Amino acid sequence: MTIFRTGALRALCISALLAMLVACAGVPKQELDSYVSSFNTARSTTQDIILNAKNSAEKANDGSNVGKQQLAQRTKALDARLAAVDLIDKYNSILVKLASGSDPAAVKGSLEGLSANLKSFGVAQFSSFAAQVTPYFGIISSAIALIDDAIKAEKFNEAVAAAQAPIQAIIDILREDADSLDEIQSQFLAMKQDPERDQLLSLYFKFLALSNSLNADADVSKAISDLNVAWTTLTIEPSKRPSPVVPATSGGRAATAADKALLQTIVSQTVARVTTHNQIGDQINAQAKVMDAYKSVLDATASAFVALNIAIQKKQEVAPISFAVNVLNLRKAYLALQEAK
């Protein structure tokens, strides 16, 4: 009975302290709700970006031993990114629980889960960090010990404060590794675009050989003009385009109906290839904008949860916790990428 009363009294004291902390924290509910909503959107979109990259990595696998090995490495790295996003989400949920006055037992359970996930987090799986993982291992491992000690002492605020360093490090990893994530998508898109360019050059030389053998009557001249116009719409540097086709001035033969039909067929095929090439180029540009927005959201996420943690730890008012604009820009960029496909 005494043990039960002691435990109950301890829980009551913790609840009272937590309630007192929340009352002084100065985190308006509206700001907190906006923060949670924005982060949930950012998390969902980020997960979509990573899952799309996994699909692209699978499609880029050519079935060779090298291809299979590369796919396995990329899959591990992408799974690590998903785990990193999950860790950030767990930390955010703990901050929210503290700010909203959740049951201390729930806060403790979440902190224990965060600690366990940090212990199993695979920093080395990030592809661009093979030679740079040591500092991050140190930050995460040293923080885990502090978190666990604070949990045992039921000093949840200290545990949350200790967790901020490894979560910040994970955000830094994601941001610095964003180019590797972009590379997976860009390589896949380049694999689709390069054959289109090769086919365009093949069509060009086929057209050039035929047109050079013909007298440039009105139909032949129009076909030449149409082909040259099609090439000007190809979204590459002008210096990388072949020279415009020039009508033959003498020495050619009269164009037959079959010649003219073939010239027109080549023009139509060129227009179609140019369209496909440019669409893939639009996807590459849209992908770059997504990654820029993704990096901005990571920065904004870090700033937002630091601000919320300060409000909780220092018991002071905090500036509006909002990164909704950054999240909206990421969502818009991602939807633009989907429309470009």
Side-chain angles (χ1 to χ4, degrees), residues 147-341:
I147 295 168
D148 288 343
D149 288 344
I151 292 173
K152 291 175 183 176
E154 296 186 338
K155 296 179 179 179
F156 301 143
N157 280 44
E158 291 183 15
V160 171
Q164 184 167 298
I167 296 299
Q168 183 68 58
I170 287 170
I171 287 180
D172 290 343
I173 290 172
L174 286 173
R175 198 185 189 290
E176 292 181 40
D177 203 53
D179 289 339
S180 295
L181 180 61
D182 183 39
E183 182 182 354
I184 294 172
Q185 294 286 59
S186 297
Q187 285 181 351
F188 173 67
L189 291 171
M191 286 174 59
K192 293 171 60 179
Q193 192 177 51
D194 289 345
E196 296 299 328
R197 193 172 302 163
D198 292 343
Q199 287 296 323
L200 279 168
L201 287 173
S202 177
L203 288 168
Y204 169 83
F205 287 114
K206 185 177 181 179
F207 185 98
L208 182 64
L210 179 56
S211 65
N212 281 345
S213 70
L214 302 174
N215 292 327
D217 62 15
D219 292 333
V220 171
S221 296
K222 183 179 186 309
I224 291 173
S225 175
D226 290 344
L227 184 86
N228 289 337
V229 168
W231 270 96
T232 63
T233 63
L234 186 69
T235 52
I236 59 173
E237 296 176 20
S239 61
K240 294 182 178 180
R241 297 175 188 147
S243 301
V245 178
V246 178
T249 56
S250 63
R253 61 180 175 81
T256 66
D259 292 327
K260 295 178 181 180
L262 180 55
L263 288 175
Q264 191 55 52
T265 296
I266 295 174
V267 169
S268 298
Q269 291 175 344
T270 298
V271 170
R273 293 284 184 182
V274 166
T275 299
T276 302
H277 180 282
N278 290 350
Q279 286 174 341
I280 299 172
D282 290 342
Q283 291 175 34
I284 292 173
N285 293 333
Q287 173 67 28
K289 291 179 181 179
V290 166
M291 298 316 298
D292 287 342
Y294 169 69
K295 292 176 183 178
S296 296
V297 163
L298 288 173
D299 290 339
T301 299
S303 299
F305 76 60
V306 167
L308 180 55
N309 198 18
I310 289 173
I312 295 171
Q313 301 292 342
K314 302 295 184 181
K315 308 182 183 71
Q316 65 186 29
E317 291 286 343
V318 66
I321 305 166
S322 175
F323 57 115
V325 172
N326 301 87
V327 175
L328 179 61
N329 287 339
L330 174 61
R331 190 65 187 159
K332 287 171 63 178
Y334 180 74
L335 292 175
L337 174 60
Q338 298 307 108
E339 290 175 2
K341 291 183 177 179

Side-chain angles (χ1 to χ4, degrees), residues 106-167:
V107 177
K108 180 181 179 182
S110 295
L111 282 166
E112 289 173 339
L114 179 67
S115 176
N117 288 142
L118 283 170
K119 290 172 185 174
S120 63
F121 182 63
V123 178
Q125 294 177 2
F126 284 84
S127 56
S128 67
F129 277 77
Q132 307 176 51
V133 297
T134 303
Y136 292 101
F137 274 130
I139 291 171
I140 294 174
S141 60
S142 61
I144 290 171
L146 295 174
I147 295 168
D148 288 343
D149 288 344
I151 292 173
K152 291 175 183 176
E154 296 186 338
K155 296 179 179 179
F156 301 143
N157 280 44
E158 291 183 15
V160 171
Q164 184 167 298
I167 296 299

